[in-house]
Amino acid sequence: QLQLQESGPGLVKPSETPSLTCTVFGGSISSTTYLWGWIRQPPGEGLEWIGSIYYSGSTNYNPSLQSRVTISVDTSKNQFSLRLSSVTAADTAIYYCARSMLTANYMDVWGKGTTVTVSS
Amino acid sequence: DIQMTQSPSTLSASVGDSVTITCRASQIINSWLAWYQQKPGKAPKLLIHKASSLQSGVPSRFSGSGSGTEFTLTISSLQPDDFATYYCQQYISYPLTFGGGSKVEI
């Protein structure tokens, strides 16, 4: 059964560029069927899609974050990663990674999430 | 961006009730809509995709309907495990967008 596990720095300072990683267990990130994405949820708020990547490295980003976001994939480690530059308190959130179908972009498998808190 | 608007934002109900949540899209999205359930401290869980297709393992008391711009999620005979927040999501175009959520509480 496919499982996703996020890892991240937890607490970061404003203006830093944290990196988060999602490790895929029980399946291959190199599948031609799926996309791999990041979604975040600020405390007490709703869900915001950040972006997605295909195993080849092709990406799609939310225009609201595009200037600060980089999503990359490492097929040798079965991982994909998120870098978010110049963070502020507004980036404090739970960050989830998820799998979606290449042909139908709903998220059928989610990680448990990792909290990123931006504070000096 | 396609805006997704859910109503109500909060719904009070009792075990055994039938409840309906509405999701409206700012543009036609055909049937490219998913519904998720989220419990406190947990990741969202996919319930329904393509507006009305029940995800494997999801109880049949959950159902979805609609197409175009208006969609509904119905939970028949509400169970204690169903008290949660529900989100809709469109996936016809990027950026993928979610509704603001509908909390079903006792």
Side-chain angles (χ1 to χ4, degrees):
Chain A
Q1 182 177 356
L2 190 86
Q3 293 185 339
L4 306 180
Q5 183 173 309
E6 305 91 344
S7 58
L11 179 65
V12 299
K13 291 181 169 53
S15 80
E16 290 185 339
T17 300
S19 289
L20 307 177
T21 296
C22 182
T23 304
V24 178
F25 297 98
S28 174
I29 203 169
S30 299
S31 169
T32 57
T33 307
Y34 300 109
L35 295 171
W36 308 93
W38 290 96
I39 302 96
R40 71 179 183 177
Q41 185 172 36
E45 298 186 23
L47 300 164
E48 180 181 33
W49 174 76
I50 299 170
S52 300
I53 192 164
Y54 190 52
Y55 82 96
S56 64
S58 176
T59 55
N60 281 283
Y61 297 134
N62 193 323
S64 68
L65 295 167
Q66 185 162 5
S67 63
R68 300 194 293 126
V69 168
T70 303
I71 298 177
S72 58
V73 63
D74 186 337
T75 56
S76 68
K77 295 182 178 179
N78 229 28
Q79 294 176 336
F80 62 106
S81 298
L82 167 70
R83 291 179 75 246
L84 184 61
S85 65
S86 306
V87 296
T88 69
D91 295 309
T92 293
I94 299 172
Y95 286 74
Y96 296 101
C97 60
R99 183 186 80 172
S100 61
M101 305 285 290
L102 177 62
T103 55
N105 222 328
Y106 56 86
M107 296 78 170
D108 65 339
V109 180
W110 294 67
K112 293 182 178 180
T114 187
T115 298
V116 174
T117 302
V118 182
S119 175
S120 55
Chain B
D1 299 6
I2 298 176
Q3 308 302 317
M4 306 300 292
T5 304
Q6 287 183 236
S7 60
S9 56
T10 306
L11 188 159
S12 295
S14 301
V15 173
D17 287 351
S18 177
V19 301
T20 297
I21 297 167
T22 297
C23 176
R24 289 185 174 87
S26 61
Q27 302 174 34
I28 292 173
I29 61 169
N30 299 326
S31 295
W32 303 120
L33 184 100
W35 289 99
Y36 302 88
Q37 175 194 66
Q38 187 179 34
K39 297 179 181 178
K42 301 293 186 181
K45 171 188 173 182
L46 176 68
L47 298 176
I48 287 169
H49 60 91
K50 207 173 181 184
S52 61
S53 296
L54 200 65
Q55 177 69 355
S56 176
V58 174
S60 58
R61 63 181 180 272
F62 292 90
S63 63
S65 65
S67 67
T69 62
E70 187 155 336
F71 304 86
T72 59
L73 172 71
T74 299
I75 312 171
S76 62
S77 189
L78 204 64
Q79 298 300 301
D81 192 47
D82 301 336
F83 291 95
T85 301
Y86 295 84
Y87 294 93
C88 60
Q89 177 230 331
Q90 66 79 17
Y91 53 95
I92 194 172
S93 66
Y94 289 118
L96 307 179
T97 48
F98 293 87
S102 295
K103 184 177 181 180
V104 177
E105 59 183 23
I106 300 174

